[in-house]
C-alpha cells in the first residue's frame, strides 16, 4: 500500500537521494538546468501519450500525484517539489507498482514556466501550500499574482487550478486575488468542503495528504477552490 511505502527507509535521506537517481520517473535538474529544461514542451514524449497533463505543485510525498493518476487514468500526472527526499515516497511507490502515467520533478516552483511549455498543462493542484503568513512572505505564496501569471502561461485555455487549504487567510487572499484577475474566474469555492452538499469532483474530498489528515483530526475546516483560466 501507499502507507507501507511511506514507512520504508524512515529518515535515511541519503539512500532516498541515491534511489531517486535510479528511477526513470524522477527528474532532478540543477537550478541552471531548470531555467532551460529539456523537457519543456516535451512531456508527452516521456509519457508516450498526448493525455492531458496534471501538475501537483508542492506535492510532498505524492499523495495527490498518485491518487490523481489512478483516479483519472487517461492523464499524465507530474508531482513537483523541491524536497527530493520527500517526493521519493511517491516516486518509489509509482515505480514499484508500475504507474506509467506518473512522474516527479524536483524543482523550485518559481521555475515552473521554464519546465513546462505554453498551454502544455490542463490542470494544477495546490494541496495545502505554505500560507506564508507574514506580509513580507507574500511573494512566496503559490497563489500570488506572479505565480498565477506563470500558471496562465503553461495552462491551456479553460485549464483548472485546484486549491486546498486549512488556512483562512490564504483562502481569503486567493479569493480576492482571483476575483480581480482578468485571466481567471472562480468556478466553485467552499470554506468547509467536508460539509458541502455538492462538490465539483470527488477527488477534493476522497484524497487527503498526511497533513490534511492531521488538520481534520484537529477539527480544522478544509477550504477548497476551483479556478478556471479564461484568458
Amino acid at each position: 500500500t501507499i502507507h507501507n511505502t511511506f514507512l520504508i527507509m524512515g529518515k535515511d535521506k541519503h539512500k532516498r537521494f541515491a534511489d531517486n537517481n535510479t528511477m526513470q520517473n524522477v527528474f532532478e535538474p540543477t537550478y541552471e538546468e531548470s531555467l532551460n529544461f529539456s523537457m519543456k514542451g516535451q512531456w508527452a514524449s516521456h509519457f508516450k501519450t498526448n493525455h492531458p497533463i496534471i501538475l501537483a505543485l508542492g506535492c510532498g510525498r505524492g499523495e495527490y500525484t498518485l491518487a490523481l493518476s489512478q483516479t483519472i487514468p487517461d492523464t499524465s500526472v507530474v508531482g513537483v517539489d523541491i524536497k527530493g527526499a520527500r517526493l521519493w515516497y511517491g516516486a518509489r511507490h509509482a515505480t514499484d507498482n508500475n504507474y506509467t502515467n506518473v512522474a516527479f520533478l524536483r524543482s523550485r516552483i518559481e521555475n515552473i514556466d521554464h519546465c513546462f511549455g505554453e498551454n502544455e498543462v490542463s490542470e494544477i493542484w495546490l494541496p495545502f501550500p505554505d500560507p506564508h503568513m507574514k506580509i513580507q512572505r507574500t511573494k512566496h505564496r503559490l497563489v500570488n499574482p506572479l505565480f498565477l501569471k506563470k500558471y496562465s502561461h503553461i495552462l491551456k485555455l479553460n485549464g483548472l487550478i485546484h486549491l486546498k487549504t486549512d488556512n483562512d487567510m490564504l483562502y481569503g487572499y486567493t479569493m480576492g486575488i482571483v476575483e480581480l484577475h482578468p485571466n481567471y474566474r472562480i468556478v466553485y469555492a467552499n470554506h468547509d468542503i467536508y460539509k458541502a452538499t455538492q462538490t465539483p469532483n470527488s477527488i477534493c474530498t476522497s484524497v487527503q495528504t498526511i497533513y490534511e489528515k492531521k488538520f481534520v483530526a484537529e477539527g480544522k475546516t478544509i477550504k477548497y477552490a476551483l479556478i478556471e483560466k479564461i484568458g
Side-chain angles (χ1 to χ4, degrees), residues 40-57:
K40 180 179 179 179
Q42 303 298 319
W43 286 93
S45 65
H46 168 72
F47 290 109
K48 298 181 176 61
T49 175
N50 287 315
H51 286 162
I53 293 175
I54 301 177
L55 306 185
L57 302 185

Side-chain angles (χ1 to χ4, degrees), residues 86-128:
R86 187 180 295 164
L87 62 77
W88 168 85
Y89 291 93
R92 173 44 58 194
H93 184 87
T95 298
D96 291 346
N97 291 277
N98 195 32
Y99 292 0
T100 58
N101 65 332
V102 177
F104 288 87
L105 171 64
R106 185 184 182 188
S107 175
R108 296 186 182 277
I109 296 174
E110 54 260 39
N111 292 341
I112 199 70
D113 53 335
H114 295 282
C115 296
F116 294 87
E118 186 175 2
N119 304 318
E120 191 174 17
V121 175
S122 294
E123 295 185 35
I124 293 173
W125 279 79
L126 301 172
F128 296 88

Side-chain angles (χ1 to χ4, degrees), residues 215-231:
F215 297 149
V216 171
E218 293 172 351
K220 294 182 178 180
T221 58
I222 306 301
K223 295 86 176 150
Y224 170 81
L226 178 62
I227 301 160
E228 180 186 16
K229 175 188 169 182
I230 58 174

Side-chain angles (χ1 to χ4, degrees), residues 32-210:
E32 291 74 19
E33 288 171 343
S34 70
L35 296 178
N36 189 27
F37 193 40
S38 60
M39 290 299 298
K40 180 179 179 179
Q42 303 298 319
W43 286 93
S45 65
H46 168 72
F47 290 109
K48 298 181 176 61
T49 175
N50 287 315
H51 286 162
I53 293 175
I54 301 177
L55 306 185
L57 302 185
C59 69
R61 296 185 173 197
E63 296 98 331
Y64 269 88
T65 310
L66 298 173
L68 286 164
S69 73
Q70 298 308 291
T71 306
I72 321 173
D74 291 334
T75 58
S76 301
V77 188
V78 183
V80 184
D81 205 294
I82 192 59
K83 301 288 188 179
R86 187 180 295 164
L87 62 77
W88 168 85
Y89 291 93
R92 173 44 58 194
H93 184 87
T95 298
D96 291 346
N97 291 277
N98 195 32
Y99 292 0
T100 58
N101 65 332
V102 177
F104 288 87
L105 171 64
R106 185 184 182 188
S107 175
R108 296 186 182 277
I109 296 174
E110 54 260 39
N111 292 341
I112 199 70
D113 53 335
H114 295 282
C115 296
F116 294 87
E118 186 175 2
N119 304 318
E120 191 174 17
V121 175
S122 294
E123 295 185 35
I124 293 173
W125 279 79
L126 301 172
F128 296 88
D130 190 330
H132 294 288
M133 296 291 286
K134 294 181 179 180
I135 191 66
Q136 61 267 34
R137 300 284 296 175
T138 301
K139 66 180 181 179
H140 297 291
R141 294 174 191 160
L142 295 185
V143 290
N144 74 30
L146 179 59
F147 278 107
L148 289 177
K149 182 178 180 180
K150 292 176 183 289
Y151 305 154
S152 181
H153 179 76
I154 65 176
L155 272 174
K156 299 178 183 295
L157 185 64
N158 304 122
L160 300 173
I161 298 174
H162 306 259
L163 170 70
K164 286 188 79 175
T165 181
D166 66 305
N167 188 274
D168 289 318
M169 182 280 295
L170 185 66
Y171 179 74
Y173 172 85
T174 303
M175 294 299 98
I177 292 294
V178 174
E179 286 281 6
L180 298 174
H181 203 293
N183 293 339
Y184 294 100
R185 75 178 182 97
I186 298 170
V187 177
Y188 175 92
N190 196 298
H191 71 283
D192 192 350
I193 192 64
Y194 290 108
K195 289 187 177 179
T197 55
Q198 291 184 325
T199 60
N201 59 74
S202 62
I203 298 174
C204 64
T205 52
S206 63
V207 181
Q208 293 183 338
T209 68
I210 189 171

